[in-house]
Amino acid sequence: MREAIRDMRVRGAGRIARAAAEALARAAEAFRGEDPGAFIKYMEGVAEFLRSSRPTAVSLPNAISFVMRSLRESPPASVEEGKRAVREAASEFVVYSKNAVRVIGELGARRFRNGDVVMTHCHSSAAAAVLSAAHRMGKVDRVYVKETRPRLQGLIAARVLSDAGLDVTLIPDSAVRYFMKDVDRVIVGADAVAANGAVVNKVGTSVVALAAKEARVNFYVAAETYKFSPRTIVGELVPIEFRDPAEVVGSDWIAAHPKVEVLNPAFDVTPAEYIDAIITEKGVISPYAAPLILMEEYGVRTWLP
Ligand code: RI2
């Protein structure tokens, strides 16, 4: 699963969180032995290994912590009990996560008006849930989807939204400002939401936000609460993943141009002042209310690490 997340066969912040939770449950089942202490140590190792799959989407460590808390808070008396605790916590997370995406769809759709033309970036299941729900409510028919180089996840969004019945226009990333004048609202997903309301999402998101602000177009983010980053409350930055430059131009081109540096950041940061609302499963909030979500999710411990 770590390899699948690393090479993005499993991708999308929500999906990798669910996959990690399920991988923990599978790893627990595979443990052979009778010593609960050894089981916990083994699970801590698996958790650490999975956590290092990709650095940016905070949903991944948050999901892992959720599952591991079931062992840490009440240490099991037997390996069987430990396995059961992990299995139940993992399935609780998966159920919660899928339901959260559905609720976000319903809450988010209410923010749209009849006839809105929308733009999105990359493929986010949460943003797609909002667009599909808004379409079912008869509010949104047309959506601009950016191709999202270098890995072209926009093509996934184009397929998903077209299958949901929307009229999709696929555009190159560089055409974002050209088409913004035709757009009423933007909606994107998130890999991490910081305590200061900044949103980390697929690289290029902040450019869409800039163009939207210039054109006075509303900019929404759809994010489950487990995408809020507790560490940012004490000033830690969300690490930005830099992926293989070969994803940008191919390894042959790189080999043929040894003097050219090719960089491939996977994410960028959109500051709170560019964001009108974050749609979570607990309600639609201002980005400046991000600390309230963190307080509710992690309590005062967040401030006293
Ligand atoms: P959902 C993705 O990252 C995109 O940046 C997307 O906006 C975000 O995760 C959230 O996706 P990547 O895994 O959880 O494609 O809403 O690098 O599906």
Side-chain angles (χ1 to χ4, degrees), residues 8 10-16 54 57 121-127 153 188-191 200-203 205 222 224 227 241 266-267:
M8 294 179 70
V10 173
R11 59 148 294 278
R15 185 161 292 155
I16 64 179
R54 287 185 78 190
H121 180 61
C122 196
H123 167 252
S124 150
S125 308
Q153 294 106 320
V188 297
D191 291 81
V200 182
N201 192 49
K202 183 58 53 187
V203 71
T205 300
E224 304 90 295
K227 291 175 182 166
E241 176 184 14
F267 302 99

Side-chain angles (χ1 to χ4, degrees), residues 32 40 82 93 98 102 105 140 164 167 192 207 231 246 254 262 268:
R32 296 284 168 264
I40 292 175
F93 181 84
K98 289 184 174 166
R102 189 184 56 75
V140 175
D167 295 331
V207 184
R231 283 166 179 249
I254 291 173
V262 182
D268 67 16

